[in-house]
Amino acid sequence: MTSTLFRTKNIEQSIQDTEEPEHALRKSLSALDLTVFGVGVIIGTGIFVLTGTAAKNTAGPAVSLSFVVAGAACALAALCYAEFASTVPVAGSAYTFSYSSLGELPAWTIGWDLVLELALGTAVVAVGWSGYIHSLLDNWGWHLPGALGGRDGATGFGFDILAAALVLLLTAILVVGMKVSARVTSVVVAVKVIVVLVVIIAGAFFVKGANYDPFIPKEQPVAAGGSLKAPLIQLMFGWAPSHFGVMGIFTAASVVFFAFIGFDVVATAAEETRNPQRDVPRGILGSLVICTALYVAVSIVVTGMQKYSSLSVEAPLADAFKATGHPWYAGLISFGAAVGLTTVCMILLLGQSRVFFAMSRDGLLPRFFSQTHPKFRTPYRSTILLGVVIAVVAGFTSLSELAELVNIGTLFAFAVVALSVIILRRTRPDLPRAFRTPLVPAVPVLSVLASLWLMLNLPAETWLRFAIWMLIGFVVYFLYGRSHSRLATRERATAKEAPRPPTGPAP
């Protein structure tokens, strides 16, 4: 039984499966398209909110260094993703990579977790986008009926029609084709980056040097506590993260790290890239470098415009402009955030549908959902299914109930991909690698350690939710996936074709 749980999928077979007419995706993306996707999903409201929040509560003006630390941790994982995506250019990202190196059960675990996380992430973003649009409509004097305004503050029936409509619209765009999705994303990302650059350039004129003093505020220890909302490392070892000081920079890094989550979604589009060996590493690393630079610049500007202790938590950057007597920029920031959330939502939905599609094509989920559209060559069945489910979840769930996303899944995937690089280097040194992670095994080991450190800083209740979801996944795998796996089917077929030894007496 152990051998079947950890059976690995041959990389050559994985690539061959992508050529089946009914399950093949159209190759239409370039390195620029992938970079745009990466920038589109990484830059969301985090650039307008997390920068100021982490500065006020944890790191002070040194939050810019926190973004550098978080970006470096992501870069370690990105180097590992780049090698795998160029070596195994198949949809599914971390799921596919682990299937080729660690085995079927670890691959299922990663895929099952990513499906949940990306679904919740899409719903969270859609509800957040709806909140911005509601605010803009209210400013214009337009008000939606209470029953269609969402669950927050609703009495009786409440359905967030805007959040659901956004998810369904983006689902339709993804069904039509990846190139159309890339064009829409390119336009929206261009608007979003322009808004961010305007904010950086305009804010630079209102920076005061006195606001940077002290650059690293004096350390303030956090009292220990026993709540499940406390970091796991605190409950296990009685150690509590520090606010401010040098350690506050690293504590803030574990907070702002989640502003970077999403670059790994680029790897899910490897199968739809014209030259994945060259373009996927460029897309992953290029988007990460661009976004790190923008995050650092914004954090420097916002802490220079207003004293870190005076920053607001809800909208620090917008309120910083109001504090300097320029409220017009606050409206521009809200517009940029609303536009930005559109692409974040679409790319998260894209990533989830590709992971689901890859698991379905491998037989771990019903293969009905891996059929591609005869004209658009997109996984339309899985995309529509997930789009409808997420639209309903986003429509009926309040933002407060969705707010805590299962970030542990992404960090878990980072660690698995890093381990997979080491394992595949030993088991398949003959594989052609267009991109090679430097300093193996040092870089993958550092990536694993960085991911584990950030995971330990997550609340204990996040670990509990993760364990419950994984338990459900194991039940599904053993009841359906293990017996319907294409690897299992091929093994049974091979066993039937093998010649049987003679059963009669020896002559």
Side-chain angles (χ1 to χ4, degrees), residues 110-281:
I110 292 293
W112 181 253
D113 180 73
L114 290 179
V115 165
L116 170 72
E117 181 175 357
L118 293 173
L120 290 179
T122 306
V124 168
V125 173
V127 174
W129 176 88
S130 174
Y132 278 104
I133 300 301
H134 275 296
S135 178
L136 291 174
L137 292 177
D138 289 342
N139 291 337
W140 296 336
W142 298 347
H143 306 284
L144 290 175
L148 299 177
R151 295 295 301 167
D152 288 315
T155 56
F157 179 85
F159 184 80
D160 195 333
I161 188 66
L162 292 179
L166 174 67
V167 174
L168 294 177
L169 174 62
L170 297 179
T171 299
I173 293 174
L174 289 174
V175 168
V176 170
M178 280 293 285
K179 198 61 183 177
V180 174
S181 305
R183 289 170 181 166
V184 172
T185 303
S186 298
V187 173
V188 177
V189 169
V191 173
K192 178 165 58 174
V193 171
I194 289 172
V195 170
V196 173
L197 291 176
V198 168
V199 167
I200 293 171
I201 295 171
F205 289 97
F206 310 126
V207 168
K208 296 180 180 179
N211 290 331
Y212 293 125
D213 186 25
F215 187 74
I216 302 179
K218 186 177 179 181
E219 182 177 352
Q220 298 177 8
V222 180
S227 170
L228 284 178
K229 292 186 179 297
L232 183 65
I233 193 172
Q234 179 177 335
L235 298 180
M236 291 177 61
F237 305 109
W239 179 88
S242 299
H243 286 177
F244 306 113
V246 175
M247 287 306 299
I249 296 173
F250 294 95
T251 302
S254 67
V255 176
V256 302
F257 171 84
F258 302 110
F260 290 92
I261 285 180
F263 75 85
D264 55 311
V265 175
V266 174
T268 67
E271 191 175 326
E272 295 160 274
T273 305
R274 288 193 291 266
N275 189 347
Q277 288 77 11
R278 181 196 66 188
D279 293 342
V280 173

Side-chain angles (χ1 to χ4, degrees), residues 301-314:
V301 167
V302 70
T303 53
M305 290 175 62
Q306 192 175 18
K307 193 71 173 179
Y308 74 90
S309 56
S310 301
L311 290 170
S312 71
V313 177
E314 292 78 12

